[in-house]
Amino acid sequence: MGRSERTVVWFRRDLRIDDNPALAAAARDGAVLPVFIWCPAEEGRFYPGRCSRWWLKESLAHLARSLEALGCPLVLIRAQSTLAALLQCVDSIGATRVVYNHLYDPISLVRDDKIKNELLGLGISMQSFNGDLLYEPWEVYDENGLAFTTFNKYWEKCMKLPIEISPFLAPWRLVPVSGIENICSSSIDNLGLESSKDEESSNALLSRAWSPGWRNAEKTLEDFVSHGLLDYSKDRMKVTGTTTSLLSPYLHYGEVSVRKIYQLVRMQQIKWENEGKSGAGESVNLFLLSIGLREYSRYLCFNFPFTHERSLLGNLKHYPWRADEDRFKSWRQGMTGYPLVDAGMRELWATGWTHNRIRVIVSSFAVKFLLIPWTWGMKYFWDVLLDADIESDILGWQYISGCLPDGHELGRLDNPEVQGQKYDPDGEYVRTWIPELARMPGEWIHHPWDAPSSILEVAGVELGFNYPMPIVELHMARECLDDAISTMWQLDTAEKLAELDGEVVEDNLSHIKSFDVPKVVLKELSPSAPRCDQKVPTDNGRNLELQPKELKGTDKQTICVNVIKASKMEDSGSMANSPISRKRSSSGSVFNVPSYSSSVEVRSQNQHPGGYSVGSSGYIVQNAERNCVGKAEDDDSADSCTNTSRASKRPAA
């Protein structure tokens, strides 16, 4: 292309100058219009929470200053339609091309494909690039062309593939375009990323702990590689202090590229090996494994675009989640009576951040102790986390809930008391976030209900008054969880038997007892398809809608797709009204299969979390081959001290 090219660079979650393929391509070929479009109406139920929006605002301001220094102002637009805003930009400057970096969540996939088709139809060139991953999701399949559904096999295949580690250098100068004055742009304050004065005052506290922006992301990365990476293997499970990289919010908004992270970490590893430092290899491999999990989260969402609302495994559509809003509220407010869980939830609400180990503990408690639908917990995390990330949150919650082939066992029930003694042995973390227990001795702080009355009196703790009794006792949680699993298997078996029309043979029985893992087959790419271009889910040439569809016959097992395969989830008839579905728990409440409603609650920081409404219907699932998705940050799968797992109750043959 000639130097006369006029290109719109559509920024989204790639808010950086360095190693930005879309920006580099535009700068190389002519004049550039950098634009960021904020369209709240298109965010739907995944409208970012307060902390995430604060980060976005600060990161945009940082990016705008950098682009201004290079010669091009960043155009900010608040719009009702992203497509209309892009068309306005194209028309105003006479652009012939729009470039952008890929996103992989199902909402962005649908939007990007629609915009791409519309602009191509108008004769406008569209180019997209990989600015977020080491490997594109459509590049990694097994020997049969099937998408992987377990992390270890996926990552093992990835490690055999070459990695493009040469970053796109930051441009030294950008050539601005004329006609910017014709664009209906907005100031950063008028984007509406901070919706009230209360939010502004609360956000001021965030700036004391965090510094968004791509330059700050690079400083954070360099600091971690120089000072934190070597001891990562032994420090990463400590829930107090700075023991992890703290890169996740920067990665979410693309302020640092994963290629740059990989390259710096590998170079540091080579340096340490030359210096003979022991333990470096383990730390590097564990850290890169966490990077691999992020890659896998994009891979799953891309290949199975229903996973933001339904479990990967088909059996769990029968799982009897409990739509108990009171328990959900107690969990969100940190009032469950289990100190480590409550401390984690209070830290999350106050700061928008908590250590990954604490996230595992509180999410496991929600879905296993309280049987709260995992989609509710995922949505709450999305609303409050500073580093809220749809793909990573989907992977985390489905893994903890047992909705993945290599996730936690359905029957696994972790004891918060034992976890507290392991991860917060002195009670320092609990005392920080639960002032009611600040004077409790370490011996009793993780199970105050067992403490003698004299200890409680000296500590100023009145159970049931200034700190709650446990919301559910361990043995009752165990019983309810076993009942839920038994109910799921009975419903699943009944449905499969009904599909057999009475033809029950040994081969059929073995199929009945298995987990339903969806399969996605990759078809050969068209030779004319650009290698770097964004792929979209298709079925025989037609774009897949990301909505539940009932599949019949052999279509339930295998779905062939063109360029990027995508999956439809098996969703045959519900048995919610059958006698078996009305099985009651020991507490007398009717099991049901709810789905978290999508309305987003707008609250000030001074309000306590509360009041999410129950949705109409829901799904859920779980599975067979368990090979440790969470090895990077979840080493307790074989820890009998913290795990009270029992064998799941499967139907008798």
Side-chain angles (χ1 to χ4, degrees):
M1 296 184 182
R3 295 291 299 175
S4 60
E5 188 86 24
R6 291 188 167 203
T7 304
V8 174
V9 181
W10 180 21
F11 280 93
R12 286 99 65 78
R13 294 202 294 272
D14 50 352
L15 306 181
R16 65 181 184 273
I17 303 296
D18 193 31
D19 193 17
N20 188 319
L23 179 62
R28 186 172 56 245
D29 296 326
V32 174
L33 174 65
V35 61
F36 178 86
I37 301 167
W38 176 239
C39 186
E42 293 179 355
E43 300 296 333
R45 62 186 174 124
F46 289 106
Y47 180 80
R50 174 185 65 83
C51 294
S52 183
R53 282 183 282 111
W54 168 81
W55 191 285
L56 174 59
K57 180 180 179 181
E58 296 298 312
S59 184
L60 284 171
H62 186 96
L63 177 67
R65 291 191 294 270
S66 299
L67 289 170
E68 190 76 42
L70 292 175
C72 273
L74 174 64
V75 174
L76 302 172
I77 301 176
R78 182 182 172 97
Q80 292 298 314
S81 164
T82 300
L83 174 61
L86 281 173
L87 286 172
Q88 180 195 23
C89 293
V90 169
D91 292 340
S92 297
I93 68 168
T96 56
R97 183 172 62 150
V98 175
V99 297
Y100 60 96
N101 292 313
H102 300 158
L103 296 176
Y104 306 94
D105 64 275
I107 297 165
S108 297
L109 281 173
V110 171
R111 177 176 55 203
D112 293 358
D113 188 52
K114 177 183 177 182
I115 289 173
K116 179 179 178 179
N117 290 333
E118 289 282 349
L119 294 183
L120 287 175
L122 295 173
I124 301 166
S125 174
M126 295 285 290
Q127 279 187 283
S128 58
F129 303 87
N130 175 16
D132 189 52
L133 297 174
L134 296 174
Y135 312 95
E136 291 283 25
W138 52 85
E139 295 175 346
V140 187
Y141 290 88
D142 67 15
E143 61 275 8
N144 298 316
L146 294 175
F148 290 101
T149 54
T150 58
F151 171 71
N152 281 354
K153 290 184 178 179
Y154 162 80
W155 194 235
E156 181 182 351
K157 178 63 178 288
C158 287
M159 290 294 95
K160 295 177 181 178
L161 299 175
I163 298 178
E164 182 183 349
I165 60 173
S166 299
F168 294 85
L169 296 178
W172 292 99
R173 185 176 69 90
L174 295 174
V175 178
V177 296
S178 58
I180 295 180
E181 64 278 0
N182 299 322
I183 300 174
C184 185
S185 60
S186 172
S187 69
I188 195 164
D189 289 327
N190 290 335
L191 285 181
L193 295 173
E194 288 180 315
S195 58
S196 68
K197 291 295 182 182
D198 285 341
E199 283 197 354
E200 290 182 17
S201 61
S202 298
N203 290 343
L205 299 176
L206 294 174
S207 62
R208 299 180 183 179
W210 298 92
S211 299
W214 71 277
R215 283 289 191 190
N216 295 317
E218 292 186 344
K219 292 176 183 177
T220 302
L221 171 60
E222 291 167 2
D223 183 66
F224 171 70
V225 170
S226 299
H227 304 109
L229 179 59
L230 185 61
D231 295 326
Y232 181 75
S233 61
K234 63 180 181 181
D235 290 344
R236 65 195 176 92
M237 288 298 181
K238 296 178 180 178
V239 299
T240 56
T242 304
T243 59
T244 58
S245 70
L246 304 181
L247 287 171
S248 54
Y250 297 105
L251 276 167
H252 173 71
Y253 280 115
E255 295 163 303
V256 62
S257 78
V258 72
R259 281 190 299 262
K260 186 164 189 174
I261 293 174
Y262 188 91
Q263 186 173 7
L264 284 181
V265 168
R266 283 300 192 197
M267 291 300 293
Q268 187 69 39
Q269 181 182 21
I270 294 172
K271 177 183 175 182
W272 284 334
E273 287 176 352
N274 290 335
E275 294 173 353
K277 291 186 177 179
S278 60
E282 182 182 5
S283 289
V284 167
N285 290 335
L286 283 171
F287 178 71
L288 291 180
L289 204 59
S290 68
I291 295 295
L293 286 169
R294 180 181 182 274
E295 297 268 317
Y296 187 57
S297 72
R298 271 74 179 151
Y299 182 82
L300 279 185
C301 281
F302 182 80
N303 287 286
F304 307 100
F306 55 81
T307 48
H308 65 296
E309 59 184 2
R310 288 182 286 157
S311 306
L312 181 67
L313 298 176
N315 313 76
L316 275 166
K317 65 185 174 185
H318 299 300
Y319 195 85
W321 300 109
R322 298 184 62 177
D324 191 325
E325 293 191 61
D326 290 335
R327 286 190 169 190
F328 185 45
K329 182 177 181 180
S330 296
W331 175 75
R332 295 197 315 274
Q333 293 180 338
M335 295 293 287
T336 69
Y338 287 90
L340 188 62
V341 174
D342 292 342
M345 295 306 294
R346 294 186 192 190
E347 181 189 24
L348 176 60
W349 174 250
T351 68
W353 175 267
T354 190
H355 189 282
N356 185 69
R357 169 52 42 189
I358 297 297
R359 299 185 197 196
V360 170
I361 290 169
V362 300
S363 56
S364 178
F365 185 88
V367 296
K368 297 301 180 69
F369 268 71
L370 305 181
L371 299 181
I372 290 171
W374 66 268
T375 51
W376 288 21
M378 182 193 73
K379 179 58 171 61
Y380 182 68
F381 269 30
W382 172 258
D383 287 345
V384 299
L385 276 171
L386 184 75
D387 59 345
D389 184 89
I390 295 178
E391 298 95 331
S392 295
D393 289 344
I394 289 171
L395 176 63
W397 280 91
Q398 291 225 19
Y399 167 69
I400 292 298
S401 304
C403 300
L404 299 176
D406 50 357
H408 278 183
E409 292 285 351
L410 272 179
R412 172 171 171 168
L413 190 71
D414 292 332
N415 187 339
E417 175 188 340
V418 179
Q419 288 178 317
Q421 293 168 350
K422 179 175 182 178
Y423 296 111
D424 185 31
D426 300 324
E428 176 186 353
Y429 178 74
V430 167
R431 292 188 188 92
T432 299
W433 295 105
I434 307 182
E436 307 96 289
L437 302 180
R439 291 188 289 169
M440 280 293 292
E443 180 183 357
W444 305 103
I445 196 165
H446 292 295
H447 55 121
W449 54 87
D450 289 332
S453 56
S454 58
I455 296 292
L456 293 173
E457 183 177 356
V458 171
V461 176
E462 296 182 56
L463 294 177
F465 180 69
N466 64 353
Y467 187 71
M469 292 291 290
I471 192 171
V472 59
E473 294 185 9
L474 180 62
H475 74 278
M476 289 298 296
R478 174 79 269 165
E479 184 176 336
C480 289
L481 180 60
D482 286 346
D483 284 347
I485 296 170
S486 177
T487 298
M488 183 203 77
W489 281 116
Q490 291 177 58
L491 291 171
D492 188 66
T493 300
E495 180 184 73
K496 290 177 178 176
L497 286 173
E499 292 176 351
L500 295 175
D501 295 325
E503 297 181 13
V504 181
V505 296
E506 186 62 30
D507 288 345
N508 289 336
L509 289 176
S510 63
H511 169 67
I512 285 174
K513 294 180 181 180
S514 66
F515 286 95
D516 297 337
V517 184
K519 296 180 181 179
V520 172
V521 180
L522 178 68
K523 285 189 175 180
E524 292 298 322
L525 302 183
S526 168
S528 61
R531 179 181 177 276
C532 67
D533 208 20
Q534 173 75 65
K535 310 301 186 292
V536 293
T538 60
D539 182 8
N540 296 326
R542 295 177 293 106
N543 288 351
L544 292 178
E545 295 183 16
L546 305 179
Q547 299 295 331
K549 290 187 178 182
E550 182 174 335
L551 304 180
K552 297 180 180 179
T554 57
D555 290 338
K556 291 180 179 178
Q557 303 301 321
T558 302
I559 299 172
C560 294
V561 298
N562 285 334
V563 179
I564 128 188
K565 34 24 51 227
S567 158
K568 300 175 185 175
M569 189 65 169
E570 176 178 351
D571 187 28
S572 50
S574 170
M575 301 185 64
N577 296 321
S578 67
I580 205 168
S581 72
R582 293 192 290 269
K583 177 179 176 68
R584 293 177 177 266
S585 71
S586 57
S587 62
S589 61
V590 179
F591 280 133
N592 52 26
V593 191
S595 178
Y596 178 36
S597 103
S598 60
S599 58
V600 176
E601 198 176 69
V602 179
R603 302 184 300 266
S604 72
Q605 176 69 11
N606 296 326
Q607 286 181 274
H608 224 275
Y612 280 68
S613 57
V614 181
S616 55
S617 62
Y619 321 78
I620 296 303
V621 293
Q622 154 91 26
N623 186 336
E625 181 189 353
R626 307 271 173 187
N627 66 356
C628 189
V629 134
K631 192 65 178 175
E633 293 285 3
D634 184 19
D635 286 341
D636 290 337
S637 54
D639 187 348
S640 60
C641 295
T642 60
N643 181 2
T644 61
S645 176
R646 294 181 185 174
S648 58
K649 296 181 179 179
R650 298 196 181 190

